[in-house]
Amino acid sequence: MTVNDILDILDATAIAGKSGLDNEVLTACGSDMMSDVLAFAKTQCVLLTGLCNPQVIRTAEMMDIVAIIFVRGKTPDETMIKMADEMGLPIVVTSHRMFSSCGLLYEHGLRGGIIDG
Amino acid sequence: MADLMELNYTVSNEDFTRAGEASSDVKKKLKQLGVSPDAIRKVAIALYEGEINMIIHAYGGKIKVTISENAITLVLADKGPGIADVEKAMQAGYSTAPDKVRSLGFGAGMGLPNMKKNSDQMDIQTEIGVGTTVTMVINI
Ligand SMILES: Nc1ncnc2c1ncn2[C@@H]1O[C@H](COP(=O)(O)OP(=O)(O)O)[C@@H](O)[C@H]1O
Ligand SMILES: [Mg+2]
């Protein structure tokens, strides 16, 4: 699955980092707690979150997240968009809620990482 | 063992939106130096959680990163309130962070355990009312 596929699946819009839309996605992680993301996100992972602040972009940068999906129509501000554009990090906005967004991606074959303790 | 490079940062606690800028810069520099992705990931996670801690639990502080042939050493020093019970602070889920911090996506009590998990050595020197210095070594 690529970020572009996710746009279709979630009726989502890409609003930043469009240079990365062909990035391959292998796993997903859904959380509003950035510490959880820093502890559990796997490689080539997309981050689904309802939290909308610059620390989400920083966390994604630190973890080499493939794309950020803001659920419930959360829209990042100018600062965040600029950060993401500079990193080539796609930001995707969907009006679906967290549970439905995760469910839709799961239905299309995307999985979370394997728990390694 | 010769030090190849030393990086220094001052972390301010005034603007939370800028938290992580030091970690971001370190990550970029390590990439330029050709450090392995695995080591970069460990440094990025450990340093970012540490940087956030100096902002949310202290009043900002100083970060020194030393890159040598075999290891990257991260020293995070603050003049904050200190940690009363380090053993307790190291437990997953233990946090004294206020709700405001939690609403920003931190304060789950996962920072220190994750910093330890990602470093090959970690040491905390702390004194109440004086400050905290966290030293982490990541082998490369
Ligand atoms: N630099 C620091 N100065 C003072 N207290 C700290 C510092 N770092 C951590 N602590 C204390 O240790 C606790 C646990 O830290 P951590 O595991 O990072 O969780 P969190 O930051 O989510 O609270 C914090 O809630 C705080 O009480
Ligand atoms: Mg913390």
Side-chain angles (χ1 to χ4, degrees):
Chain A
M1 191 182 289
T2 65
V3 183
N4 258 322
D5 296 330
I6 291 177
L7 293 180
D8 288 337
I9 297 166
L10 297 180
D11 299 314
T13 318
I15 58 164
K18 288 181 189 165
S19 59
L21 288 180
D22 290 324
N23 290 352
E24 185 73 26
V25 177
L26 297 183
T27 57
C29 170
S31 182
D32 290 351
M33 264 298 176
M34 293 305 109
S35 286
D36 281 353
V37 179
L38 288 159
F40 303 120
K42 306 291 172 194
T43 45
Q44 284 186 275
C45 173
V46 283
L47 169 62
L48 295 101
T49 186
L51 183 75
C52 196
N53 70 34
Q55 295 318 313
V56 178
I57 317 279
R58 281 279 171 243
T59 301
E61 180 191 13
M62 293 305 145
M63 299 302 283
D64 296 313
I65 295 282
V66 174
I68 300 173
I69 303 166
F70 285 109
V71 299
R72 302 192 297 277
K74 298 267 169 155
T75 312
D77 63 18
E78 287 292 314
T79 319
M80 294 168 69
I81 290 176
K82 196 166 160 261
M83 283 168 80
D85 275 333
E86 277 167 15
M87 294 169 198
L89 169 73
I91 293 189
V92 165
V93 177
T94 176
S95 46
H96 287 296
R97 295 178 189 174
M98 178 67 100
F99 182 81
S100 311
S101 302
C102 293
L104 284 164
L105 293 179
Y106 197 95
E107 200 175 65
H108 284 79
L110 198 59
R111 295 291 179 265
I114 291 159
I115 294 164
D116 60 10
Chain B
M1 182 169 65
D3 290 346
L4 301 177
M5 193 191 271
E6 185 182 300
L7 305 167
N8 287 283
Y9 302 89
T10 300
V11 177
S12 156
N13 72 334
E14 276 161 36
D15 186 0
F16 187 71
T17 63
R18 296 186 57 189
E21 281 184 358
S23 304
S24 166
D25 192 68
V26 170
K27 191 178 177 196
K28 283 187 197 113
K29 296 234 159 75
L30 294 182
K31 218 169 170 178
Q32 282 164 13
L33 287 174
V35 174
S36 78
D38 187 49
I40 293 179
R41 187 175 170 92
K42 288 179 181 170
V43 169
I45 296 170
L47 190 58
Y48 184 47
E49 280 286 7
E51 187 177 354
I52 295 282
N53 275 356
M54 2 175 59
I55 294 169
I56 62 180
H57 303 301
Y59 321 111
K62 290 198 185 308
I63 295 178
K64 186 171 95 176
V65 179
T66 315
I67 301 143
S68 68
E69 224 165 293
N70 308 313
I72 298 169
T73 306
L74 314 170
V75 182
L76 296 91
D78 69 57
K79 293 191 168 76
I83 305 173
D85 187 340
V86 174
E87 210 178 304
K88 213 169 169 184
M90 286 301 301
Q91 287 171 12
Y94 177 82
S95 175
T96 59
D99 283 346
K100 187 181 153 266
V101 166
R102 224 152 283 143
S103 69
L104 293 167
F106 289 91
M110 312 273 290
L112 288 174
N114 204 14
M115 287 157 70
K116 182 158 178 82
K117 187 182 151 200
N118 281 286
S119 49
D120 293 291
Q121 278 174 59
M122 177 161 130
D123 170 71
I124 302 177
Q125 297 294 324
T126 185
E127 199 180 331
I128 297 298
V130 178
T132 301
T133 300
V134 181
T135 305
M136 293 175 281
V137 180
I138 287 114
N139 297 335
I140 52 175

